[in-house]
Amino acid sequence: MPASAAHHPPLACTVRGCHEPLTRAGRTWTCGRGHTFDIAKSGYVNLLQPQDRRSRDAGDTRAAIDARARLLTKGVGRVAVDRVVDVACGLLADGGIVVDLGSGSGETLDAIAQTRRVIGVGIDLSTAAAEVAARRGAAVTWVVANADRRIPLLDESTDLVISQHARRNPRDCARLLRPGGHLLVSVPAPDDLIELRQAVQGESVLRPRADLVIDEHTRDFALASRIEVRERHFLDRAELLDVLRGTYRGARTSAAPRLETLTELGVTFAAEVCLFRRR
Ligand SMILES: [Zn+2]
């Protein structure tokens, strides 16, 4: 590999059956077979193939992305993000390659890139998310792709994959991670948003997810650690609506009228962060 290529992320062509390495020249990524992907004006590259698109407006809406970004700016959800960033920075050496599946508006990778000189790749199905993330600058390569399908990274190319309340793809993560590489998965803890769920759905079912995550990774990964992070915020009605808009359970606009009588609510934000090591 030429020295200059060492600074490029190990992207792979997404044309069906190709999987050749992509190299960047100017505003275009090209594979050895001549397939090309232009970099959008805002700075991300769209590697999504027509067959991988579930709908015309795939992925999170701009409203959901903006709602999450507003909350994070106020520190809501910050504890979980900071923990993931801390663990990631502890694992990554300078020059390490880190991929975020479902990178959203890019807070996590951006924070990692500010601490470590890493090669970061943020993947999201939403072009709206990629547009917002790309404003953070060129330290990270922002990619639109479907992480449920073949992730557009070369085999055994990656040191760390992150999935925060986002897509998981254990088999393909095992393919793109180098042996001994790590996978950091954050999922909602059973009591995440419990007060809000109680208020809008009239129920407070505890939904354990981490055990399921551990089960689905046992084939290719060893569990290295499992930690819980928790924070509590008193939110006003506008902020509660942002939580509904911004979560994966969100867009439940049918729930919004139930919030009309609420002026303030103490809400728990809780996540379980599981660190796996590729066998
Ligand atoms: Zn190709």
Side-chain angles (χ1 to χ4, degrees), residues 234-267:
F234 282 92
L235 304 181
D236 64 24
R237 197 167 162 272
E239 292 163 338
L240 293 170
L241 284 170
D242 270 350
V243 174
L244 285 179
R245 286 187 197 104
T247 61
Y248 57 100
R249 319 170 187 81
R252 303 261 174 95
T253 42
S254 61
R258 300 206 193 175
L259 288 182
E260 264 162 30
T261 53
L262 280 176
T263 52
E264 193 185 56
L265 186 67
V267 180

Side-chain angles (χ1 to χ4, degrees), residues 13 15 18 31 33 35:
C13 182
V15 170
C18 183
C31 83
R33 294 193 173 121
H35 303 128

Side-chain angles (χ1 to χ4, degrees), residues 6 10 13 16 29 32 53 61-62 70 74 77 93 109 132 141 144 165 172 214 226 256 267-268 276:
C13 182
R16 196 194 290 257
W29 289 88
R53 211 181 294 264
T61 62
R62 183 60 194 265
R70 274 195 298 272
K74 294 174 182 172
L109 271 184
V132 172
T141 299
V144 175
H165 298 211
D172 211 38
I214 290 165
R226 174 180 178 173
V267 180
T268 300
F276 299 93

Side-chain angles (χ1 to χ4, degrees), residues 12-15 17-22 30-37:
C13 182
T14 53
V15 170
C18 183
H19 315 316
E20 289 281 309
L22 290 173
T30 309
C31 83
R33 294 193 173 121
H35 303 128
T36 61
F37 304 88

Side-chain angles (χ1 to χ4, degrees), residues 7 47 71 80 94 121 126 143 162 178-179 189 210 275:
H7 301 292
L47 299 183
L71 291 166
D94 280 355
V121 180
S126 161
V143 175
I162 295 170
R178 65 168 172 76
L275 178 65

